[in-house]
């Protein structure tokens, strides 16, 4: 179920402080972000760490979880690998995650979808997107 306004536009459900915290403390602290293709089709997200990369941010100021202070100042910044689960290889070539100039993207798809969409697979690979076959079950899920 998508969360949206009555007119179909995306509905913002987090504050700016929560966004900064999640990008700075969560996304930046992990090697990869895993997303299903339906989110790519619905929202066309960047899946990067687009907020202040030199911030000192307390968890308390973002989500009021505890008093712990997290400091990322002067740490080496890296963008997490974007992993897209896409059994039928439906990802549009113009998706924001297909821009690999600053961040890597890996699309996991069924081998038969990759074979059936050879031209699309080659187009994705030519723009720097890695495409990997992953076995699936008859009901359309990855094994």
């Amino acid at each position: 179920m998508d969360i949206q306004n009555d007119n179909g536009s995306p509905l913002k459900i987090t504050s700016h402080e929560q966004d900064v915290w999640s990008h700075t403390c969560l996304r930046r602290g992990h090697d990869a972000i895993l997303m299903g293709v339906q989110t790519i089709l619905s929202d066309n997200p960047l899946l990067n760490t687009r907020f202040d990369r030199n911030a000192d941010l307390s968890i308390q100021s973002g989500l009021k979880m505890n008093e712990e202070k997290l400091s990322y100042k002067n740490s080496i910044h890296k963008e997490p690998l974007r992993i897209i689960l896409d059994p039928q290889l439906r990802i549009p070539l113009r998706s924001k995650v297909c821009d690999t100039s600053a961040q890597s993207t890996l699309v996991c798809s069924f081998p038969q979808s990759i074979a059936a969409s050879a031209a699309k697979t080659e187009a994705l690979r030519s723009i720097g997107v890695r495409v990997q076959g992953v076995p699936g079950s008859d009901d359309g899920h990855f094994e």
Side-chain angles (χ1 to χ4, degrees):
M1 177 174 89
D2 292 332
I3 299 175
Q4 56 192 2
N5 290 307
D6 291 338
N7 66 2
S9 64
L11 176 65
K12 183 94 172 108
I13 60 171
T14 57
S15 69
H16 176 73
E17 291 79 15
Q18 290 167 323
D19 291 342
V20 170
W21 181 86
S22 67
H23 282 252
T24 305
C25 299
L26 291 179
R27 287 186 180 188
R28 191 165 167 211
H30 290 87
D31 294 326
I33 298 173
L34 181 71
M35 188 73 47
V37 70
Q38 189 58 49
T39 300
I40 304 303
L41 296 171
S42 299
D43 300 338
N44 196 20
L46 289 167
L47 301 180
N48 65 2
T49 57
R50 60 188 165 273
F51 290 102
D52 182 10
R53 295 180 174 129
N54 292 311
D56 257 350
L57 187 67
S58 70
I59 291 176
Q60 184 177 12
S61 69
L63 295 179
K64 303 194 183 317
M65 292 172 66
N66 60 37
E67 300 292 328
E68 182 181 357
K69 180 79 169 178
L70 297 178
S71 176
Y72 286 97
K73 280 190 176 181
N74 301 317
S75 65
I76 297 172
H77 177 74
K78 64 174 178 50
E79 291 289 346
L81 171 66
R82 298 173 290 201
I83 303 172
I84 312 303
L85 301 179
D86 186 1
Q88 305 304 321
L89 206 59
R90 297 185 300 148
I91 189 167
L93 292 170
R94 296 194 182 271
S95 299
K96 291 176 184 175
V97 296
C98 288
D99 176 359
T100 60
S101 59
Q103 187 175 5
S104 297
T105 300
L106 169 64
V107 174
C108 299
S109 189
F110 291 158
Q112 60 269 29
S113 298
I114 293 170
S117 302
K120 184 173 190 178
T121 299
E122 181 55 36
L124 286 165
R125 289 179 173 154
S126 73
I127 58 175
V129 175
R130 295 185 310 198
V131 180
Q132 178 65 49
V134 177
S137 61
D138 291 338
D139 63 358
H141 294 92
F142 288 110
E143 292 182 347

